[in-house]
Amino acid sequence: MKFLLVEDDPVASDYLAKALRESGHVVDAVDDGALGLSRALHETHDALIVDRMLPSLDGLSLIESLRKQGRTTPVLIVSALGEVDERVRGLRAGGDDYLVKPYAFSELLARLEVLVRRDQGAPAETCLRVADLELDLLKRTIQRAGEPIELKPREFQILEYLMRHAGQVVTRTMLLESVWDYHFDPQTNVIDVHISRLRQKIDRGFDPPLLRTIRGAGYALREPD
Amino acid sequence: MNPTDRKGSIRLQLALATTAWLITASLLIGAGYLWFADRPQQEVDRELRSELQELQDHYQDLGPGALAEEVARRVEEHPPGHSVYLYAESQRTVIEGTLPHWPEGLEGGDEAATIPVEAATPHYRFERQLRMVALTLDDRRQLAVGRDISEHLRFQSTLQLAAVGALGLVILGGLAVGLGVSRSLLGRVVSMRDTIGDILAGRRGARVGVGPGGDEFDQLADQFNHLLDANEQLLLRMREVTDDVAHDLRTPLSRMRGRIEAALAGQEPPEEHAETLHALLEETDDMLDTFSALLHIAQIESRSVQEHMETLDLDDQARDAADLYQPVAEEAGLDLQTELEGGLRVRGNRHLISQALTNLLDNAVKYSHAPGEIRVTTRRAGERAELCVSDQGPGIPETEREHVLQRFVRLDSSRGTAGTGLGLSFVAAVATLHDANLRLEDNEPGLRITMEFPLA
């Protein structure tokens, strides 16, 4: 994938560009807001990574201008401003996701992939399917290999999120945000226990296991290659 | 420069205003006095004129002889200290009358005049003041009627003296009162000013004296002292935080530095580098957690998040958080129960209340021993809504309960467990922001923490 990185801190920018390239992506890096806007308008990218505080044009204005020109390229805002109202401001300006500095690279990568995939547009489905696991959104039922599985409401929500992003890495923070609307990380890894319970129900006694733990990043629901 | 010495000082302005008013008032009183004091004399003049008219009529009707008789009769009738009558040939020869001579200065005409006369009695001589009216009859003879107004004049002059004296006293007294009042009022303002000066000069313990009266100045001084106390508290807390930050961030930083130094100095084999880096990353993450938690608490305490208050369902908050911790509690062999009242609406920041709740649940799970029970309860208590998390862990001794709400306080019994030591400080900050009372109680056994919100 091809990303445009607009970040004025040269060390942070170099590090991030290098890490993204090592993950197999193409990165255009600029350190100035106006320049970033012009490149975003004249070139095609899969997603933009935009810092908020930038020289010549701040990140939010950049995104607003981009949206006014009718561009729908997904934008991930990265900022040291972490309060909930700052996040809301970022999303109102037209950002698609908001990541607070400092962040783990795996978190940023997971979110970028989700953004790009979302942009490619999944059709409105009523039934989600991964291998022989089926989730019926209307009846709110789950089957694996034709066998019904009973899930608690929260487990259902977690599984739904994982299935909507099947094949992608989903981080603990993403699950907390989407299922609980919590924009903070509790001190204990509470999500891990939810996942292990969910795994007991959907993977135990079935083959192959679908719910994987991605070390240092999160989880992914995917068919083995 | 001393501000009260300036021309624009309030004390001077007040004194000038008082004086100006007193002078105006005095002038008004004086004018009124003169107008009233003049009235008796006009009365006398009118009487004299009508009596003179009477005698003239008598003369015209009955002739000069009868007039002389009438004058003699009236002289007989009235003592000289009261009325005076004169019927004279000219201004020299008196035909009939109270006085032996025609007084100097008395002219015929309509004008009444005050004439000083030397009166003699067999025993002493004294001067009398007569008010007299005279006229010239057809036969060129003179007729005059008068009243002795000496007593009246003496009384009037005494009155004038008294009035002038009183006015003087009033002005002087007014000035004194004005100066005194302004001095006493401004003295208190000046004392406040001096207190501020003291505090600015570094004597932070200085306070304004509050009188026993409870008047507006006392109230002002009291409020002012409260402000100073709050300010001092903030300063103290800031110093505490600085000390805490210095301690709690410097310790891991020194550890990290030592480790990096050792790795660079080649004291560890290269194959252990990866392990070192992992440990450093973990340590960095812990420090970042501590740092953001501190920052977050500071933001809440400065009330910068006030604008995100909404009306929310307290039961929903409790249910969501309990849902999140249910599996963790079960894994730890703990029974997490919810007991929700339903329909409890409070005004608050959803994110902060959720985070405070997860902090409480985190602690409850961390400090409980299996088997045990954790309860999340919401309850209506009068006009307030209680949100309560209780466990059956070791609890907190009563003497430590106040203490654990401060930053970085971790009881010795919990030194070994993970955590920033900021969880309860965060809860306390959130409670304060929401005007919620925070209670730490004995759950017999265990700890019960209650946040008591005002109902929306």
Side-chain angles (χ1 to χ4, degrees):
Chain A
M1 285 184 274
K2 190 181 172 196
F3 300 121
L4 175 63
L5 170 61
V6 195
E7 161 72 83
D8 65 326
D9 175 2
V11 178
S13 177
D14 286 353
Y15 159 72
L16 188 54
K18 187 164 163 263
L20 283 170
R21 285 183 190 122
E22 274 169 12
S23 311
H25 302 291
V26 178
V27 181
D28 291 338
V30 292
D31 60 359
D32 174 282
L35 198 59
L37 178 62
S38 127
R39 293 199 63 169
L41 286 171
H42 295 108
E43 296 168 32
T44 311
H45 298 94
D46 290 299
L48 267 57
I49 305 159
V50 179
D51 186 26
R52 276 191 59 174
M53 294 188 201
L54 292 168
S56 80
L57 182 70
D58 72 276
L60 295 191
S61 308
L62 187 161
I63 299 166
E64 277 167 0
S65 309
L66 190 70
R67 296 293 184 240
K68 268 187 204 139
Q69 309 272 330
R71 296 304 185 90
T72 56
T73 318
V75 177
L76 173 63
I77 303 170
V78 286
S79 172
L81 304 171
E83 284 169 81
V84 174
D85 62 324
E86 295 297 345
R87 177 189 301 270
V88 169
R89 206 172 291 167
L91 300 184
R92 278 208 191 119
D96 297 276
D97 200 356
Y98 197 101
L99 194 56
V100 180
K101 289 181 183 177
Y103 49 82
F105 175 70
S106 55
E107 184 77 38
L108 176 113
L109 192 61
R111 283 170 187 265
L112 277 177
E113 283 178 0
V114 166
L115 279 186
V116 173
R117 219 61 86 72
R118 186 167 74 196
D119 191 47
Q120 285 164 359
E125 291 165 289
T126 60
C127 190
L128 302 169
R129 197 168 284 118
V130 175
D132 54 353
L133 180 65
E134 279 179 39
L135 184 147
D136 190 320
L137 285 166
L138 294 179
K139 295 187 201 150
R140 300 194 76 74
T141 56
I142 291 140
Q143 289 188 354
R144 173 115 198 229
E147 264 182 57
I149 295 172
E150 287 288 320
L151 289 186
K152 289 184 177 169
R154 292 287 183 194
E155 290 168 342
F156 187 94
Q157 282 175 272
I158 294 171
L159 183 62
E160 181 188 333
Y161 189 82
L162 285 165
M163 289 184 83
R164 282 189 186 280
H165 301 99
Q168 300 172 9
V169 176
V170 170
T171 66
R172 296 171 180 88
T173 315
M174 285 158 77
L175 283 173
L176 275 168
E177 283 180 11
S178 62
V179 178
W180 272 272
D181 192 21
Y182 281 5
H183 297 270
F184 55 87
D185 288 323
Q187 292 185 20
T188 319
N189 277 333
V190 278
I191 291 296
D192 293 357
V193 189
H194 280 275
I195 292 287
S196 85
R197 300 225 151 177
L198 182 62
R199 182 178 281 137
Q200 291 272 321
K201 292 184 180 171
I202 62 167
D203 274 348
R204 200 178 191 180
F206 297 101
D207 200 60
L210 299 174
L211 183 46
R212 311 288 191 80
T213 300
I214 311 297
R215 220 185 101 90
Y219 306 95
L221 192 73
R222 65 161 78 111
E223 240 177 309
D225 309 321
Chain B
M1 178 166 54
N2 191 343
T4 49
D5 293 343
R6 278 190 226 148
K7 208 178 164 206
S9 110
I10 297 218
R11 182 181 293 179
L12 189 64
Q13 288 175 17
L14 212 61
L16 283 177
T18 317
T19 314
W21 162 243
L22 283 172
I23 290 171
T24 313
S26 309
L27 288 177
L28 284 171
I29 291 169
Y33 161 78
L34 287 178
W35 188 64
F36 278 109
D38 206 31
R39 281 174 68 91
Q41 187 156 310
Q42 291 170 4
E43 199 74 25
V44 168
D45 291 354
R46 218 177 2 261
E47 268 179 41
L48 288 175
R49 271 190 210 101
S50 86
E51 200 170 357
L52 194 62
Q53 186 64 47
E54 230 177 85
L55 289 173
Q56 191 182 7
D57 291 349
H58 203 81
Y59 164 79
Q60 274 165 358
D61 291 348
L62 303 169
L67 177 61
E69 263 171 46
E70 179 59 23
V71 168
R73 195 183 62 77
R74 291 195 182 194
V75 169
E76 257 330 280
E77 207 169 288
H78 300 288
H82 179 264
S83 294
V84 173
Y85 300 94
L86 282 177
Y87 181 38
E89 194 57 50
S90 63
Q91 290 199 357
R92 290 231 140 243
T93 320
V94 173
I95 301 167
E96 201 65 65
T98 319
L99 301 173
H101 307 291
W102 187 263
E104 230 170 275
L106 177 62
E107 301 289 340
D110 205 34
E111 282 306 304
T114 304
I115 312 281
V117 185
E118 296 250 320
T121 68
H123 305 293
Y124 54 93
R125 297 158 57 93
F126 54 96
E127 202 174 84
R128 312 284 305 175
Q129 297 292 331
L130 299 180
R131 189 73 183 164
M132 299 199 75
V133 188
L135 65 79
T136 308
L137 297 167
D138 296 346
D139 55 3
R140 312 298 303 165
R141 285 179 178 164
Q142 306 277 327
L143 180 63
V145 182
R147 289 273 190 281
D148 190 330
I149 57 167
S150 306
E151 291 304 321
H152 174 71
L153 284 179
R154 196 174 300 138
F155 176 69
Q156 203 175 31
S157 74
T158 313
L159 206 64
Q160 266 165 6
L161 200 66
V164 168
L167 274 180
L169 277 177
V170 163
I171 289 173
L172 284 177
L175 273 175
V177 168
L179 280 173
V181 167
S182 67
R183 182 183 297 261
S184 89
L185 290 187
L186 288 168
R188 300 165 78 172
V189 175
V190 167
S191 116
M192 276 184 213
R193 185 197 66 199
D194 291 347
T195 308
I196 296 176
D198 281 353
I199 290 165
L200 288 179
R203 289 183 288 282
R204 282 196 281 110
R207 292 293 179 270
V208 183
V210 181
D215 60 20
E216 285 81 350
F217 272 97
D218 290 331
Q219 290 166 17
L220 180 64
D222 197 45
Q223 290 280 24
F224 188 65
N225 285 342
H226 276 304
L227 184 71
L228 289 175
D229 286 344
N231 208 21
E232 172 120 22
Q233 278 297 313
L234 275 177
L235 275 175
L236 274 178
R237 217 180 308 154
M238 197 151 93
R239 177 174 297 173
E240 266 171 38
V241 172
T242 327
D243 291 350
D244 291 342
V245 169
H247 178 263
D248 269 65
L249 294 183
R250 190 175 278 158
T251 311
L253 273 173
S254 318
R255 261 201 316 260
M256 287 164 72
R257 196 182 182 285
R259 207 151 175 181
I260 294 169
E261 216 167 26
L264 284 176
Q267 285 170 13
E268 60 175 34
E271 57 268 25
E272 280 180 23
H273 280 357
E275 199 187 313
T276 304
L277 284 174
H278 262 293
L280 288 174
L281 182 64
E282 236 168 77
E283 196 114 50
T284 313
D285 281 345
D286 286 350
M287 279 178 51
L288 284 171
D289 283 350
T290 305
F291 187 68
S292 14
L294 269 177
L295 216 59
H296 204 175
I297 292 173
Q299 275 166 355
I300 295 168
E301 283 180 346
S302 70
R303 302 204 158 224
S304 63
V305 285
Q306 190 90 49
E307 55 196 287
H308 309 293
M309 294 286 185
E310 55 183 328
T311 303
L312 49 86
D313 192 317
L314 203 56
D315 305 293
D316 284 349
Q317 303 293 308
R319 197 178 295 114
D320 285 354
D323 271 356
L324 185 64
Y325 273 82
Q326 182 78 49
V328 184
E330 265 177 50
E331 293 296 297
L334 303 165
D335 186 13
L336 176 58
Q337 294 285 342
T338 51
E339 199 178 298
L340 307 179
E341 165 105 19
L344 288 182
R345 313 278 292 168
V346 301
R347 189 118 191 105
N349 181 308
R350 194 161 49 89
H351 302 282
L352 296 181
I353 293 177
S354 298
Q355 198 168 350
L357 254 175
T358 62
N359 280 2
L360 293 178
L361 284 168
D362 228 283
N363 279 347
V365 171
K366 204 154 46 183
Y367 296 121
S368 290
H369 306 294
E373 189 190 63
I374 297 171
R375 292 184 85 81
V376 181
T377 321
T378 60
R379 204 165 67 85
R380 185 187 299 272
E383 285 302 296
R384 300 181 81 84
E386 287 186 350
L387 175 61
C388 173
V389 174
S390 62
D391 62 48
Q392 296 178 333
I396 295 175
E398 200 171 342
T399 48
E400 297 280 356
R401 283 182 199 151
E402 192 76 10
H403 187 50
V404 292
L405 297 179
Q406 292 168 13
R407 289 175 179 81
F408 295 116
V409 170
R410 311 188 62 196
L411 299 183
D412 288 338
S413 50
S414 68
R415 278 281 164 209
T417 52
T420 56
L422 292 168
L424 281 181
S425 321
F426 181 87
V427 174
V430 171
T432 309
L433 178 74
H434 288 86
D435 296 321
N437 300 326
L438 182 64
R439 293 201 310 265
L440 275 67
E441 293 160 315
D442 195 347
N443 194 35
E444 295 172 350
L447 176 65
R448 182 168 67 236
I449 300 188
T450 308
M451 292 171 90
E452 201 185 75
F453 295 89
L455 276 171

